[in-house]
Amino acid sequence: MQLLNADDYRAAARRHLPKGLFEYIDRGTEAELAIADIRRSLDNIRFRPSVLTGHSDSNMTTSLFDRTYCSPLIIAPTALAGLVSHDGETKLARVASKLGMPFCVSTQSVTSIDDIRKGAPEAELWLQLYVWRNRDLTWGLLDRAQKADVSTLVITADTPLSPKRDYNQRNGFSVPFVPSLRGVWDVATRPKWLCSVMLRYLMTSGMPTYAHYPAEFKTAITRAAIAEDVKIESAISWADIAEIQKRWSGRIIIKGVLSVDDAIRARDMGIDGIVVSAHGGRNLDVALAPADVLPEIVDAVGAEMLVMADSGIRRGSDALKYLALGSRAVMVGRLPLYGLAAGGEQGALDILTMLIDEIHSNLVFAGAKDIDALRTAGIA
């Protein structure tokens, strides 16, 4: 079947991936109210197009920090992308390089930042950071990232606990993975994924692990426990951010901001940027939708720091709505994973190219010569 939109790619991913892995990627938390609210907030936004503008093309170039990009997209950090497709993180880095956009590697990736750099030497790599309880090990990860020529650190600030996701328990899916009859059956019913991903790892590098764990703490996802030192710190504070600023020589972005007060605090500390994000509806089920708070955050700090957004993007028009509300760029997480599952590296390239084409066509239909013109015209 020809894949023509995000729903087609999502359906293909559902067919290819084990149910537990697909739902881990696709679904939200608790009653999944946040996912529905994010969708509502985006669906309620409308553009008032300008007609007879005299131009048939639109410029999508975007300036972030000291660079200009051909589109406003960034591939968001997603845990375990390397289980969606063999060496999935490296594939995403190569796709990002081809499309001229940054790729943000997750702390919880299956391939290490060092190996991703080797596999995608031209890519602009960012690193998403979960602060571990053992700070010395965290600082060691920062050192590795700087050696891998990572330009930007994205600190996830909205995940103090593991979210409640009932479907993971029902599916027998957990990280680390605990073998169960349900889980084994789930994998066995997806033989293409089993052969192309899991067996390929087992025949080469062994059981997949969290690749960024230090060697002495690395834990295969089939083992029962993760060392205490590398658990995500639940009490991360602004003091930790200040310490990271001392140790990191590149740019710093804080991801997961939904309040003006937090945005102002970040600005006053000299943070380079923030991502207004509800974590795709995967953490706090009663969190505000990013589109509902983005304008006031942009008004408060947008002139002095880079403000970006994510959560819930399914179409190019969704990305444009965040951009029209003042975001300078948007991160996309689930869509590249659907593409990876549906068609590997080419699938990820195709779905992101589709998204870029949709952004362009919506700009043209809106009568905006570029993204700045869309922001100036505002929304209906």
Side-chain angles (χ1 to χ4, degrees):
M1 182 184 76
Q2 189 176 8
L3 305 181
L4 300 176
N5 55 51
D7 288 340
D8 290 346
Y9 280 94
R10 179 176 179 269
R14 183 194 290 272
R15 291 190 297 269
H16 177 69
L17 298 175
K19 181 181 180 183
L21 180 56
F22 175 78
E23 292 199 342
Y24 170 78
I25 292 165
D26 185 70
R27 296 186 63 180
T29 186
E30 295 189 359
E32 299 182 282
L33 301 175
I35 284 185
D37 200 37
I38 291 166
R39 190 67 261 158
R40 172 210 52 83
S41 69
L42 291 170
D43 286 344
N44 285 345
I45 296 172
R46 296 290 186 273
F47 295 133
R48 182 179 289 110
S50 297
V51 298
L52 303 177
T53 57
H55 59 266
S56 60
D57 201 3
S58 291
N59 183 0
M60 294 188 297
T61 58
T62 301
S63 295
L64 305 177
F65 302 119
D66 57 351
R67 292 194 59 181
T68 299
Y69 301 88
C70 57
S71 83
L73 300 181
I74 300 164
I75 300 180
T78 49
L80 302 177
L83 287 185
V84 175
S85 180
H86 183 265
D87 206 14
E89 288 95 7
T90 304
K91 290 174 180 175
L92 288 179
R94 287 197 291 262
V95 167
S97 182
K98 291 174 184 176
L99 294 175
M101 64 181 65
F103 168 53
C104 190
V105 180
S106 171
T107 291
Q108 295 179 329
S109 64
V110 173
T111 305
S112 71
I113 192 75
D114 323 78
D115 288 338
I116 294 169
R117 171 55 71 204
K118 292 175 185 176
E122 303 303 320
E124 180 178 348
L125 298 182
W126 296 6
L127 176 67
Q128 174 268 337
L129 180 68
Y130 283 125
V131 175
W132 291 324
R133 291 184 180 177
N134 185 319
R135 298 297 195 275
D136 288 338
L137 297 178
T138 303
W139 311 149
L141 177 57
L142 297 188
D143 291 341
R144 290 175 63 187
Q146 293 191 106
K147 290 177 182 177
D149 195 26
V150 170
S151 66
T152 303
L153 192 67
V154 180
I155 304 169
T156 295
D158 62 355
T159 311
L161 298 171
S162 179
K164 187 175 188 291
R165 298 170 183 162
D166 303 337
Y167 51 88
N168 283 343
Q169 291 179 270
R170 292 195 180 97
N171 292 332
F173 183 89
S174 62
V175 182
F177 179 68
V178 179
S180 66
L181 182 60
R182 183 189 296 269
V184 171
W185 175 253
D186 187 17
V187 169
T189 58
R190 295 294 188 272
K192 184 177 178 181
W193 177 88
L194 175 62
C195 293
S196 65
V197 180
M198 186 56 70
L199 290 182
R200 191 170 172 186
Y201 279 123
L202 293 176
M203 294 172 63
T204 54
S205 56
M207 184 62 68
T209 68
Y210 284 127
H212 290 129
Y213 283 12
E216 64 271 30
F217 291 100
K218 274 188 179 178
T219 305
I221 63 172
T222 51
R223 296 180 189 169
I226 297 176
E228 189 73 18
D229 279 352
V230 288
K231 285 185 178 178
I232 296 173
E233 175 57 76
S234 60
I236 185 174
S237 70
W238 291 104
D240 290 299
I241 302 301
E243 183 63 27
I244 292 170
Q245 285 179 296
K246 296 176 185 176
R247 296 173 178 273
W248 180 256
S249 60
R251 295 182 290 265
I252 295 177
I253 293 168
I254 295 180
K255 185 175 184 291
V257 174
L258 288 173
S259 82
V260 170
D261 288 347
D262 285 341
I264 291 173
R265 181 78 178 265
R267 179 203 63 192
D268 291 347
M269 289 185 66
I271 297 301
D272 299 287
I274 58 173
V275 184
V276 179
S277 169
H279 214 102
R282 293 171 55 78
N283 279 358
L284 178 62
D285 202 28
V286 291
L288 292 163
D292 291 340
V293 298
L294 180 58
E296 59 182 324
I297 291 175
V298 170
D299 286 345
V301 302
E304 300 154 296
M305 69 188 309
L306 182 70
V307 178
M308 296 173 284
D310 74 10
S311 298
I313 292 172
R314 289 292 184 269
R315 290 278 191 177
S317 56
D318 293 335
L320 274 183
K321 289 170 183 179
Y322 282 133
L323 294 166
L325 293 173
S327 175
R328 303 303 300 181
V330 291
M331 286 187 163
V332 287
R334 290 184 176 99
L335 290 189
L337 296 184
Y338 297 155
L340 269 182
E345 186 171 334
Q346 186 63 47
L349 178 65
D350 289 344
I351 197 171
L352 286 168
T353 300
M354 178 198 74
L355 190 64
I356 291 169
D357 289 343
E358 289 179 354
I359 292 172
H360 178 262
S361 64
N362 275 273
L363 269 177
V364 172
F365 276 113
K369 66 178 181 179
D370 55 29
I371 294 170
D372 284 338
L374 185 72
R375 293 191 185 102
T376 300
I379 58 177

